[in-house]
Amino acid sequence: MSAASSWIVVPAGSPFPITNLPFGVGQPEPDSWRAWVAVGDVALDLAAVQAAGLFGSIDLPPQCFSERTLNTYLACGPAVWSATRSRLIELLTDHSIAKTLQTHLVDRSSLVMGVPIAPTDYVDFYSSLHHAVNVGRIFRPDSEPLLANWRYIPVGYHGRTGTIVPDHSTIPRPAGYRLADGVPTVGPCNALDIELEVASVIGVGNERGSPIAIADASQHLYGICLLNDWSARDLQAFEYQPLGPFLGKSFATSVSPWLVSLEALGPFRVDAPAQDPPPAEYLATTEPWALDLYLEVWIQSARMREFGMDGQLVSCVGFADMYWTPAQQLAHLTVNGASTRSGDLFGSGTVSGATPGSEGSLIELTSNGQRSFGLPDGSSRTFLLDGDRVELRGWAGNDPATRIGLGSVSGTVVPAHRSTASPRPTRHSNGRGD
């Protein structure tokens, strides 16, 4: 169905043509959270559409679009997701009902968007070969950059959900133990970083003890969004042995407001790169589970905002060559019998490329603070400063005529809480990446 057939005028190049139809949760005024679907520059109130009986015989739970998250809808499963999407396309291309539905449209810019899901669990993977090699070369310059397990399993760790934050959030600078001139010292992070990631969202969960077969992944995965896993590299460097990241990763994870469904992404699924050695049987599939995505990182300093200067593009990278796919990640996540629930999500891990300018984190871009990059206001960066605003952007497909957008997600760094603020010691070069 082409965007031109919709009664909603979709501007050329919009990330949200009718071939996309991403869902989100927002409020047009305080305390009025409900679900919306984005079309061009507007959003349609899904709760109002359901209340008007326009979803017909689709087996939707009552008032499922009037809730604070999309979890109830996600639990309905692929048949309901597909029927709802098809019905929306019918409604948005039926000019006879346009006048009725126009009363339920708002400008997208008028909505305050929230986190569209309420995850019980969050997992962060480490699935970009280029990122793993880049980081390995920084910290093990005289050794093999990949650890022995990396090509056998999608390496990951369990994070926390309490600090998953929506678009436009402020990100207080985290504090904790880090080394200052070789001495463990408590204070604000000196090496604040970002991680450019794509999150996969669970629609239908599984029972504990019942692994999800990779062939069934599409029955459980709803879709994707952008994710920024903010990282305190100096805190992480001090704490990560022997149990891995803790305070360095738990203070903020930003997710974009619009969930793009796997059905919408169907035309952009491609074959994954060949894996060597061949994956174990539970990770093996012939389905095209890689996604033809394009991602960007933009940074804007406080001074740039003050003088009306746009953000600076510091990285752009493709996603199609990620070594481990969402289906493999899900199969590995549950192979031991772990359960998942509707609204859970897992991050791809930092997405990086093989060439300069395609790094998905500052630790790679600056070689752990050893070299800086410039911004248009004349300042330079190794890691983030207070006032810096980071925005991630993404879309699927390389052809502007047919591609669809993931939207964007941003966050602005603010000073550490006054109880942890202290003079910052000299920056050191010990950090970690994943």
Side-chain angles (χ1 to χ4, degrees):
M1 185 70 67
S2 68
S5 62
S6 172
W7 48 264
I8 294 176
V9 177
V10 177
S14 169
F16 303 135
I18 198 174
T19 50
N20 192 345
L21 300 183
F23 284 15
V25 174
Q27 54 178 352
E29 58 273 327
D31 301 319
S32 60
W33 294 103
R34 51 191 183 272
W36 303 80
V37 59
V39 188
D41 292 337
V42 300
L44 177 63
D45 185 340
L46 291 172
V49 175
Q50 184 177 20
L54 294 176
F55 283 125
S57 61
I58 300 173
D59 189 19
L60 288 166
Q63 299 185 322
C64 73
F65 293 126
S66 301
E67 299 178 356
R68 180 63 178 77
T69 75
L70 292 169
N71 283 25
T72 298
Y73 172 70
L74 298 181
C76 293
V80 169
W81 307 336
S82 185
T84 303
R85 175 180 167 82
S86 295
R87 179 56 177 157
L88 283 171
I89 292 174
E90 291 176 359
L91 293 172
L92 293 169
T93 54
D94 182 353
H95 290 255
S96 68
I97 203 169
K99 187 174 181 179
T100 298
L101 288 181
Q102 281 172 344
T103 62
H104 304 308
L105 292 177
V106 301
D107 290 338
R108 279 197 296 110
S109 61
S110 70
L111 292 174
V112 174
M113 301 300 294
V115 177
I117 51 178
T120 300
D121 289 307
Y122 161 57
V123 174
D124 196 28
F125 283 102
Y126 189 37
S127 295
S128 166
L129 175 63
H130 303 303
H131 174 67
V133 168
N134 289 346
V135 171
R137 285 173 176 163
I138 291 172
F139 295 108
R140 295 181 297 277
D142 300 321
S143 305
E144 167 61 38
L146 293 181
L147 296 177
N149 63 348
W150 199 90
R151 289 183 181 271
Y152 288 87
I153 58 172
V155 175
Y157 66 92
H158 288 275
R160 69 186 303 273
T161 62
T163 46
I164 292 177
V165 297
D167 189 20
H168 299 305
S169 291
T170 56
I171 309 297
R173 183 174 293 274
Y177 263 107
R178 69 279 195 278
L179 295 177
D181 297 325
V183 178
T185 305
V186 175
C189 163
N190 286 333
L192 184 56
D193 200 354
I194 56 97
E195 291 185 342
L196 170 64
E197 302 194 30
V198 173
S200 297
V201 176
I202 302 290
V204 179
N206 64 303
E207 295 295 326
R208 183 172 63 88
S210 300
I212 296 174
I214 195 168
D216 297 330
S218 61
Q219 301 299 305
H220 294 267
L221 290 175
Y222 176 77
I224 64 171
C225 61
L226 295 172
L227 183 147
N228 183 355
D229 197 24
W230 303 82
S231 298
R233 298 301 186 191
D234 45 356
L235 275 58
Q236 185 180 356
F238 184 74
E239 71 184 5
Y240 85 100
Q241 293 179 330
L243 296 180
F246 190 59
L247 298 183
K249 294 284 192 171
S250 61
F251 59 96
T253 301
S254 297
V255 297
S256 56
W258 298 103
L259 299 186
V260 178
S261 68
L262 282 181
E263 187 169 0
L265 291 165
F268 308 102
R269 288 176 58 172
V270 295
D271 290 329
Q275 295 178 320
D276 183 21
E281 183 178 356
Y282 79 94
L283 294 171
T285 179
T286 58
E287 287 190 59
W289 267 107
L291 297 171
D292 183 28
L293 307 180
Y294 300 84
L295 311 171
E296 297 178 339
V297 179
W298 294 73
I299 296 181
Q300 181 191 50
S301 69
R303 184 174 176 82
M304 290 167 67
R305 286 196 301 282
E306 180 184 353
F307 287 95
M309 303 170 69
D310 293 334
Q312 170 75 33
L313 176 65
V314 298
S315 178
C316 52
V317 61
F319 188 78
D321 64 350
M322 291 288 282
Y323 193 87
W324 296 105
T325 69
Q328 289 176 315
Q329 291 165 343
L330 180 61
H332 184 63
L333 171 61
T334 62
V335 70
N336 68 341
S339 60
T340 62
R341 282 168 268 197
S342 299
D344 284 358
L345 82 163
F346 51 89
S348 61
T350 305
V351 185
S352 296
T355 58
S358 64
E359 300 92 346
S361 64
L362 300 186
I363 196 171
E364 298 168 82
L365 185 65
T366 69
S367 191
N368 196 25
Q370 297 304 301
R371 59 175 182 264
S372 62
F373 61 94
L375 293 177
D377 63 355
S379 64
S380 62
R381 295 289 185 278
T382 52
F383 292 101
L384 297 173
L385 299 183
D386 292 349
D388 286 349
R389 177 180 183 270
V390 178
E391 181 178 6
L392 310 184
R393 303 176 186 176
W395 64 91
N398 200 30
D399 184 351
T402 57
R403 72 187 188 189
I404 64 173
L406 308 182
S408 64
V409 62
S410 67
T412 303
V413 180
V414 298
H417 190 275
R418 63 173 178 260
S419 65
T420 57
S422 63
R424 295 182 191 169
T426 302
R427 177 174 293 151
H428 61 87
S429 60
N430 293 326
R432 294 294 300 179
D434 55 41

